[in-house]
Amino acid sequence: MSELREVRIKRLKMRSMRRGIKEMDLILSAYADRNLNDMDAPALDSYDALLQENDQDLYQWVTGQVQPPDSFTGLIADIAQTFQK
C-alpha cells in the first residue's frame, strides 16, 4: 500500500523540522512549508531523497560552500533561494 499524499507531505515536513542541526531545521522547514503542497510526485521523491543526506553536507550545499551532486543541483538552488528570502 502506498503512502497517501497528505501523509507523505506531513512526514516530509516533520523530517524537515527535526534534522539535527538547528540551521537545517530552520532552512528546510521554511522551504517545506512554502513548497511541498505544490510539488508533484517526482519532486517529492527528490526532496525525500535529499532528506536522507547528512546535515553538514546539506548545509554546505545550500550555502554554496560545496557543489551539490548533480541529482540535487536544481532542488538545492531552489532551497537556497528560499533561504535567502
XYZ file of all heavy atoms in Angstrom:
688
model
N 0.837 -1.183 0.000
C 0.000 0.000 0.000
C 0.884 1.248 0.000
O 1.807 1.369 0.782
C -0.909 -0.018 1.226
C -1.855 1.115 1.306
S -2.972 0.847 2.702
C -3.887 2.315 2.591
N 0.591 2.162 -0.879
C 1.410 3.368 -0.951
C 0.921 4.417 0.050
O -0.224 4.415 0.478
C 1.400 3.930 -2.371
O 0.119 4.413 -2.690
N 1.809 5.311 0.361
C 1.536 6.372 1.316
C 0.645 7.437 0.680
O 0.882 7.865 -0.442
C 2.886 6.965 1.717
C 2.871 7.945 2.816
C 4.291 8.365 3.186
O 5.155 8.452 2.302
O 4.509 8.605 4.368
N -0.383 7.856 1.384
C -1.241 8.932 0.890
C -0.440 10.223 0.780
O 0.458 10.483 1.585
C -2.416 9.157 1.828
C -3.431 8.032 1.947
C -4.454 8.358 3.030
C -4.132 7.796 0.620
N -0.773 11.038 -0.208
C -0.051 12.294 -0.443
C -0.021 13.165 0.807
O 1.022 13.697 1.180
C -0.697 13.037 -1.613
C -0.024 14.366 -1.906
C -0.638 15.066 -3.114
N -0.131 16.401 -3.246
C 1.060 16.723 -3.760
N 1.861 15.780 -4.202
N 1.448 17.979 -3.843
N -1.148 13.316 1.468
C -1.222 14.174 2.658
C -0.316 13.657 3.769
O 0.342 14.433 4.464
C -2.664 14.282 3.169
C -3.616 14.939 2.205
C -4.113 14.003 1.100
O -4.101 12.760 1.269
O -4.490 14.527 0.035
N -0.299 12.337 3.933
C 0.544 11.722 4.959
C 2.019 11.911 4.601
O 2.841 12.225 5.460
C 0.195 10.224 5.122
C 1.168 9.527 6.043
C -1.239 10.067 5.610
N 2.333 11.746 3.319
C 3.714 11.910 2.876
C 4.199 13.339 3.114
O 5.305 13.553 3.613
C 3.821 11.571 1.394
C 5.236 11.622 0.901
C 5.332 11.219 -0.550
N 6.716 10.954 -0.887
C 7.165 10.825 -2.117
N 6.338 10.886 -3.136
N 8.427 10.610 -2.334
N 3.387 14.313 2.762
C 3.776 15.712 2.960
C 3.961 16.004 4.444
O 4.928 16.660 4.845
C 2.746 16.654 2.301
C 2.889 16.559 0.776
C 2.925 18.091 2.787
C 1.828 17.287 -0.008
N 3.083 15.491 5.265
C 3.207 15.691 6.711
C 4.506 15.067 7.233
O 5.221 15.673 8.036
C 1.999 15.078 7.417
C 1.900 15.395 8.865
C 0.595 14.867 9.428
C 0.369 15.350 10.823
N -0.913 14.925 11.361
N 4.830 13.868 6.743
C 6.066 13.197 7.153
C 7.297 13.989 6.702
O 8.236 14.197 7.477
C 6.109 11.780 6.561
C 7.411 11.037 6.853
C 7.411 9.628 6.278
N 7.224 9.563 4.842
C 8.184 9.772 3.936
N 9.401 10.103 4.321
N 7.924 9.653 2.651
N 7.273 14.468 5.461
C 8.407 15.242 4.958
C 8.571 16.559 5.706
O 9.704 16.992 5.976
C 8.253 15.498 3.453
C 8.362 14.260 2.563
C 8.027 14.609 1.121
C 9.720 13.619 2.673
N 7.472 17.198 6.057
C 7.568 18.432 6.848
C 8.171 18.150 8.217
O 9.013 18.913 8.705
C 6.192 19.088 6.991
C 5.744 19.802 5.739
C 4.413 20.506 5.948
C 3.995 21.250 4.688
N 2.742 21.992 4.877
N 7.771 17.051 8.833
C 8.316 16.709 10.151
C 9.814 16.403 10.048
O 10.606 16.868 10.870
C 7.577 15.500 10.735
C 8.045 15.135 12.118
S 7.844 16.444 13.332
C 6.110 16.348 13.625
N 10.209 15.670 9.018
C 11.632 15.368 8.831
C 12.428 16.622 8.501
O 13.614 16.712 8.805
C 11.805 14.316 7.741
C 11.354 12.946 8.222
C 11.641 11.833 7.257
N 13.047 11.790 6.907
C 13.469 11.479 5.690
N 12.621 11.197 4.728
N 14.761 11.438 5.427
N 11.784 17.598 7.901
C 12.448 18.868 7.603
C 12.696 19.671 8.869
O 13.675 20.412 8.958
C 11.595 19.699 6.638
O 11.443 19.042 5.406
N 11.812 19.532 9.841
C 11.919 20.297 11.092
C 12.857 19.654 12.105
O 13.380 20.327 12.980
C 10.537 20.427 11.760
C 9.584 21.300 11.028
S 8.041 21.602 11.940
C 7.556 19.997 12.505
N 13.046 18.369 12.024
C 13.824 17.632 13.027
C 15.076 17.045 12.392
O 15.208 15.848 12.235
C 12.978 16.493 13.609
C 11.653 16.934 14.144
C 11.779 17.321 15.590
N 10.455 17.539 16.159
C 10.073 18.662 16.686
N 10.902 19.680 16.724
N 8.878 18.799 17.192
N 16.020 17.893 12.059
C 17.179 17.466 11.301
C 18.349 17.017 12.170
O 18.905 15.978 11.953
C 17.658 18.610 10.395
C 16.700 18.987 9.325
C 16.448 17.890 8.349
N 17.713 17.346 7.861
C 17.807 16.202 7.218
N 16.770 15.471 6.999
N 18.984 15.778 6.800
N 18.752 17.828 13.086
C 19.946 17.522 13.875
C 20.756 18.779 14.138
O 21.277 18.960 15.218
N 20.858 19.642 13.124
C 21.472 20.941 13.372
C 20.405 22.010 13.130
O 19.616 21.928 12.190
C 22.753 21.191 12.545
C 22.504 21.188 11.054
C 23.844 20.193 12.902
C 23.716 21.603 10.222
N 20.370 22.964 14.002
C 19.310 23.974 14.013
C 19.211 24.736 12.698
O 18.107 25.043 12.231
C 19.536 24.943 15.186
C 18.395 25.860 15.448
C 17.170 25.055 15.879
C 16.059 25.960 16.314
N 14.847 25.207 16.604
N 20.342 25.038 12.092
C 20.325 25.787 10.835
C 19.522 25.052 9.766
O 18.720 25.652 9.050
C 21.755 26.036 10.330
C 22.551 26.981 11.181
C 23.253 26.293 12.356
O 22.968 25.109 12.664
O 24.090 26.964 12.984
N 19.724 23.740 9.669
C 18.996 22.968 8.660
C 17.529 22.807 9.048
O 16.661 22.772 8.177
C 19.652 21.603 8.423
C 20.992 21.703 7.719
S 21.037 22.799 6.258
C 19.803 22.099 5.199
N 17.235 22.743 10.339
C 15.831 22.740 10.787
C 15.118 23.974 10.244
O 14.023 23.880 9.681
C 15.726 22.782 12.318
C 16.192 21.525 13.014
O 16.439 20.513 12.337
O 16.306 21.572 14.252
N 15.741 25.130 10.425
C 15.133 26.390 10.010
C 15.011 26.501 8.490
O 13.965 26.887 7.960
C 15.937 27.567 10.560
C 15.969 27.695 12.082
C 16.975 28.755 12.508
C 14.595 28.002 12.624
N 16.071 26.166 7.790
C 16.087 26.287 6.332
C 15.082 25.334 5.697
O 14.249 25.736 4.874
C 17.507 26.031 5.783
C 18.452 27.160 6.207
C 17.488 25.872 4.263
C 19.929 26.849 5.994
N 15.152 24.059 6.075
C 14.304 23.062 5.426
C 12.853 23.161 5.849
O 11.953 22.912 5.035
C 14.846 21.654 5.665
C 16.177 21.364 4.981
C 16.656 19.951 5.329
C 16.095 21.545 3.473
N 12.580 23.529 7.087
C 11.176 23.668 7.488
C 10.526 24.847 6.766
O 9.367 24.759 6.342
C 11.023 23.776 9.005
O 11.646 24.921 9.507
N 11.269 25.938 6.576
C 10.720 27.074 5.821
C 10.465 26.672 4.373
O 9.417 26.996 3.806
C 11.691 28.258 5.874
N 11.399 25.952 3.779
C 11.229 25.503 2.400
C 10.034 24.551 2.289
O 9.202 24.683 1.385
C 12.499 24.808 1.897
C 12.353 24.314 0.492
C 12.495 25.179 -0.581
C 12.047 22.980 0.221
C 12.332 24.733 -1.883
C 11.890 22.531 -1.070
C 12.035 23.415 -2.114
O 11.861 22.977 -3.399
N 9.957 23.600 3.198
C 8.871 22.616 3.165
C 7.510 23.289 3.303
O 6.575 22.968 2.556
C 9.070 21.583 4.274
N 7.393 24.216 4.230
C 6.119 24.917 4.432
C 5.681 25.669 3.180
O 4.496 25.714 2.861
C 6.210 25.894 5.606
C 6.220 25.193 6.949
O 5.815 24.010 7.023
O 6.640 25.818 7.940
N 6.631 26.239 2.468
C 6.304 27.044 1.281
C 6.064 26.222 0.023
O 5.379 26.685 -0.888
C 7.426 28.037 1.002
C 7.531 29.121 2.025
C 8.669 30.068 1.702
N 8.830 31.027 2.780
C 9.960 31.657 3.031
N 11.021 31.444 2.289
N 10.021 32.512 4.028
N 6.658 25.025 -0.063
C 6.706 24.354 -1.359
C 6.113 22.957 -1.461
O 5.679 22.570 -2.550
C 8.163 24.291 -1.834
C 8.731 25.657 -2.077
O 8.399 26.311 -3.047
N 9.586 26.114 -1.172
N 6.110 22.183 -0.407
C 5.730 20.777 -0.548
C 4.316 20.569 -1.074
O 4.089 19.660 -1.876
C 5.903 20.028 0.777
C 7.332 19.841 1.262
C 7.350 18.954 2.503
C 8.233 19.278 0.193
N 3.375 21.373 -0.654
C 1.994 21.180 -1.106
C 1.833 21.352 -2.614
O 0.914 20.785 -3.208
C 1.045 22.123 -0.371
C 0.857 21.722 1.071
O 0.849 20.544 1.406
N 0.709 22.704 1.939
N 2.723 22.112 -3.241
C 2.638 22.361 -4.679
C 3.496 21.410 -5.518
O 3.462 21.483 -6.743
C 3.054 23.806 -4.983
C 2.117 24.816 -4.341
O 0.920 24.507 -4.196
O 2.593 25.900 -3.975
N 4.250 20.545 -4.879
C 5.151 19.642 -5.610
C 4.394 18.433 -6.159
O 3.486 17.915 -5.510
C 6.263 19.132 -4.695
C 7.308 20.139 -4.357
S 8.553 19.342 -3.305
C 9.852 20.531 -3.375
N 4.843 17.969 -7.341
C 4.300 16.728 -7.889
C 5.073 15.541 -7.284
O 6.042 15.732 -6.530
C 4.351 16.732 -9.417
C 5.754 16.858 -9.982
O 6.746 16.725 -9.228
O 5.860 17.091 -11.198
N 4.658 14.334 -7.616
C 5.258 13.132 -7.025
C 6.761 13.023 -7.287
O 7.520 12.718 -6.352
C 4.523 11.885 -7.500
N 7.253 13.253 -8.526
C 8.704 13.168 -8.723
C 9.491 14.201 -7.902
O 10.579 13.901 -7.398
C 8.877 13.411 -10.225
C 7.578 13.003 -10.826
C 6.546 13.382 -9.804
N 8.952 15.389 -7.752
C 9.624 16.415 -6.946
C 9.642 16.002 -5.473
O 10.645 16.206 -4.776
C 8.946 17.764 -7.125
N 8.552 15.413 -4.999
C 8.520 14.921 -3.620
C 9.524 13.784 -3.438
O 10.171 13.690 -2.395
C 7.115 14.466 -3.236
C 6.079 15.573 -3.043
C 4.693 14.970 -2.837
C 6.442 16.491 -1.890
N 9.655 12.923 -4.453
C 10.652 11.845 -4.396
C 12.056 12.423 -4.246
O 12.859 11.932 -3.450
C 10.605 10.987 -5.666
C 9.347 10.145 -5.775
O 8.643 9.956 -4.763
O 9.070 9.670 -6.908
N 12.350 13.456 -5.019
C 13.668 14.094 -4.961
C 13.908 14.719 -3.591
O 14.995 14.578 -3.006
C 13.788 15.142 -6.063
O 15.044 15.748 -6.032
N 12.910 15.412 -3.067
C 13.048 16.031 -1.744
C 13.226 14.965 -0.665
O 14.048 15.111 0.240
C 11.839 16.916 -1.449
C 12.004 17.730 -0.197
C 12.864 18.820 -0.164
C 11.318 17.405 0.971
C 13.040 19.564 0.995
C 11.485 18.141 2.122
C 12.347 19.222 2.137
O 12.517 19.952 3.282
N 12.471 13.870 -0.782
C 12.587 12.765 0.168
C 14.009 12.200 0.139
O 14.607 11.950 1.190
C 11.566 11.688 -0.184
C 11.225 10.760 0.976
O 11.842 10.863 2.053
O 10.319 9.924 0.798
N 14.564 12.038 -1.048
C 15.937 11.543 -1.177
C 16.936 12.539 -0.578
O 17.902 12.141 0.081
C 16.265 11.277 -2.645
N 16.688 13.820 -0.788
C 17.561 14.854 -0.232
C 17.602 14.782 1.292
O 18.651 14.962 1.910
C 17.100 16.243 -0.674
C 17.943 17.412 -0.184
C 19.213 17.518 -1.010
C 17.158 18.697 -0.258
N 16.470 14.494 1.900
C 16.408 14.425 3.358
C 17.198 13.250 3.930
O 17.443 13.209 5.141
C 14.941 14.355 3.829
C 14.113 15.609 3.599
C 12.677 15.395 4.075
C 14.711 16.824 4.276
N 17.610 12.329 3.072
C 18.444 11.208 3.513
C 19.908 11.626 3.681
O 20.696 10.905 4.285
C 18.370 10.057 2.489
C 16.994 9.522 2.227
C 16.399 8.827 3.435
O 17.109 8.193 4.213
N 15.102 8.963 3.610
N 20.248 12.792 3.141
C 21.642 13.251 3.167
C 22.021 13.815 4.537
O 21.176 14.244 5.305
C 21.866 14.315 2.086
C 21.640 13.813 0.677
C 22.642 12.764 0.236
O 23.813 12.809 0.682
O 22.253 11.891 -0.564
N 23.303 13.849 4.780
C 23.877 14.357 6.016
C 23.657 15.869 6.138
O 23.816 16.594 5.162
C 25.378 14.019 5.996
C 26.101 14.455 7.215
O 26.215 15.646 7.486
N 26.615 13.492 7.946
N 23.296 16.339 7.318
C 23.045 17.763 7.541
C 24.243 18.656 7.218
O 24.079 19.744 6.674
C 22.634 18.026 8.993
C 21.142 17.886 9.209
O 20.421 17.633 8.234
O 20.707 18.043 10.357
N 25.436 18.219 7.578
C 26.614 19.039 7.301
C 26.804 19.212 5.796
O 27.145 20.301 5.331
C 27.871 18.430 7.934
C 27.941 18.601 9.437
C 27.040 17.626 10.206
O 26.590 16.619 9.673
N 26.750 17.937 11.458
N 26.571 18.147 5.037
C 26.657 18.239 3.580
C 25.568 19.161 3.037
O 25.833 20.030 2.203
C 26.529 16.863 2.927
C 27.698 15.946 3.248
O 28.802 16.455 3.538
O 27.498 14.718 3.196
N 24.346 18.974 3.507
C 23.237 19.817 3.062
C 23.519 21.293 3.321
O 23.283 22.138 2.456
C 21.934 19.421 3.762
C 21.273 18.136 3.315
C 20.107 17.796 4.237
C 20.805 18.241 1.890
N 24.015 21.596 4.494
C 24.298 22.989 4.838
C 25.343 23.583 3.898
O 25.188 24.712 3.421
C 24.744 23.105 6.302
C 24.917 24.534 6.729
C 23.805 25.331 6.993
C 26.178 25.104 6.842
C 23.957 26.659 7.365
C 26.338 26.420 7.219
C 25.218 27.197 7.478
O 25.378 28.511 7.841
N 26.390 22.832 3.627
C 27.424 23.323 2.717
C 26.880 23.509 1.303
O 27.258 24.451 0.612
C 28.616 22.369 2.709
C 29.401 22.421 4.002
C 30.578 21.476 4.006
O 30.633 20.500 3.268
N 31.556 21.771 4.856
N 25.995 22.635 0.874
C 25.390 22.766 -0.460
C 24.507 24.003 -0.534
O 24.586 24.778 -1.471
C 24.581 21.540 -0.822
C 25.343 20.251 -0.895
C 26.696 20.093 -1.033
C 24.793 18.932 -0.830
N 27.015 18.755 -1.061
C 25.871 18.024 -0.931
C 23.517 18.437 -0.673
C 25.687 16.645 -0.918
C 23.325 17.059 -0.657
C 24.409 16.178 -0.778
N 23.639 24.163 0.465
C 22.676 25.272 0.463
C 23.379 26.621 0.562
O 22.962 27.590 -0.069
C 21.632 25.102 1.598
C 20.792 26.345 1.776
C 20.737 23.897 1.323
N 24.448 26.682 1.323
C 25.156 27.953 1.496
C 26.204 28.192 0.410
O 26.867 29.224 0.426
C 25.827 28.016 2.883
O 26.739 26.920 3.022
C 24.791 27.998 3.997
N 26.347 27.268 -0.525
C 27.255 27.454 -1.645
C 28.711 27.175 -1.343
O 29.582 27.494 -2.152
N 29.001 26.570 -0.216
C 30.382 26.259 0.140
C 30.927 25.095 -0.682
O 32.119 25.029 -0.950
C 30.474 25.917 1.626
C 30.099 27.065 2.537
C 30.068 26.636 3.991
O 30.855 25.799 4.416
N 29.147 27.188 4.749
N 30.029 24.170 -1.035
C 30.401 22.972 -1.790
C 29.336 22.743 -2.861
O 28.144 22.972 -2.613
C 30.480 21.738 -0.849
C 30.748 20.459 -1.629
C 31.535 21.940 0.229
N 29.761 22.301 -4.023
C 28.837 21.997 -5.121
C 28.030 20.736 -4.780
O 28.613 19.720 -4.412
C 29.629 21.785 -6.416
C 28.785 21.564 -7.627
C 28.033 22.816 -8.044
O 28.426 23.926 -7.747
N 26.935 22.625 -8.726
N 26.695 20.786 -4.881
C 25.894 19.584 -4.598
C 26.022 18.559 -5.723
O 26.426 18.905 -6.842
C 24.466 20.123 -4.519
C 24.476 21.335 -5.368
C 25.849 21.927 -5.224
N 25.663 17.311 -5.463
C 25.619 16.315 -6.534
C 24.649 16.767 -7.623
O 23.678 17.475 -7.348
C 25.097 15.054 -5.839
C 25.332 15.279 -4.387
C 25.283 16.745 -4.168
N 24.908 16.339 -8.847
C 24.076 16.742 -9.987
C 22.594 16.439 -9.766
O 21.732 17.212 -10.178
C 24.546 16.059 -11.271
C 25.900 16.572 -11.733
O 26.299 17.687 -11.323
O 26.556 15.856 -12.510
N 22.294 15.336 -9.102
C 20.897 14.954 -8.896
C 20.135 15.936 -8.007
O 18.904 15.973 -8.039
C 20.815 13.548 -8.301
O 21.488 13.493 -7.055
N 20.857 16.737 -7.219
C 20.213 17.682 -6.310
C 20.436 19.150 -6.674
O 19.976 20.038 -5.955
C 20.704 17.465 -4.872
C 20.327 16.137 -4.275
C 21.280 15.352 -3.651
C 19.031 15.667 -4.325
C 20.957 14.136 -3.085
C 18.687 14.449 -3.763
C 19.649 13.681 -3.144
N 21.127 19.422 -7.749
C 21.502 20.798 -8.081
C 20.306 21.747 -8.147
O 20.311 22.811 -7.527
C 22.288 20.842 -9.405
O 23.459 20.043 -9.268
C 22.701 22.266 -9.749
N 19.269 21.387 -8.884
C 18.094 22.247 -9.017
C 17.356 22.440 -7.712
O 16.944 23.554 -7.366
N 17.186 21.365 -6.976
C 16.480 21.430 -5.695
C 17.256 22.278 -4.692
O 16.681 23.116 -3.999
C 16.245 20.019 -5.160
C 15.471 19.871 -3.862
C 14.116 20.570 -3.927
C 15.292 18.400 -3.530
N 18.562 22.087 -4.641
C 19.396 22.879 -3.722
C 19.339 24.357 -4.091
O 19.238 25.229 -3.217
C 20.851 22.365 -3.700
C 20.928 20.985 -3.046
C 21.781 23.353 -3.010
C 20.598 20.954 -1.569
N 19.357 24.663 -5.380
C 19.255 26.067 -5.813
C 17.930 26.666 -5.367
O 17.882 27.820 -4.920
C 19.410 26.162 -7.327
N 16.858 25.901 -5.465
C 15.540 26.366 -5.040
C 15.496 26.576 -3.524
O 14.974 27.581 -3.034
C 14.476 25.362 -5.487
C 13.068 25.926 -5.417
O 12.896 27.148 -5.631
O 12.142 25.138 -5.172
N 16.073 25.653 -2.784
C 16.126 25.788 -1.323
C 16.971 26.998 -0.940
O 16.586 27.781 -0.062
C 16.674 24.497 -0.673
C 15.666 23.356 -0.855
C 16.983 24.723 0.809
C 16.207 21.988 -0.483
N 18.103 27.171 -1.590
C 18.976 28.310 -1.287
C 18.271 29.625 -1.566
O 18.419 30.590 -0.817
C 20.270 28.215 -2.097
N 17.488 29.669 -2.625
C 16.738 30.882 -2.949
C 15.705 31.179 -1.852
O 15.533 32.333 -1.446
C 16.044 30.735 -4.300
C 15.327 31.983 -4.738
C 14.684 31.810 -6.104
O 14.537 30.696 -6.609
N 14.297 32.914 -6.700
N 15.043 30.174 -1.355
C 14.080 30.335 -0.261
C 14.797 30.817 0.993
O 14.327 31.705 1.693
C 13.350 29.009 0.042
O 12.652 28.600 -1.135
C 12.384 29.147 1.194
N 15.965 30.247 1.241
C 16.770 30.587 2.416
C 17.185 32.057 2.380
O 17.255 32.712 3.403
C 17.983 29.647 2.454
C 19.069 30.060 3.402
C 18.856 30.077 4.772
C 20.317 30.412 2.926
C 19.873 30.429 5.645
C 21.343 30.768 3.791
C 21.120 30.766 5.145
N 17.456 32.602 1.202
C 17.929 33.968 1.074
C 16.810 34.993 1.167
O 17.074 36.170 1.297
C 18.678 34.137 -0.253
C 19.957 33.339 -0.283
C 20.615 33.334 -1.649
O 20.114 33.922 -2.592
N 21.738 32.656 -1.753
N 15.553 34.562 1.103
C 14.428 35.498 1.145
C 14.171 35.999 2.544
O 14.416 35.418 3.507
C 13.156 34.837 0.600
C 13.240 34.609 -0.886
C 11.960 33.991 -1.379
C 12.052 33.763 -2.872
N 10.896 33.133 -3.418
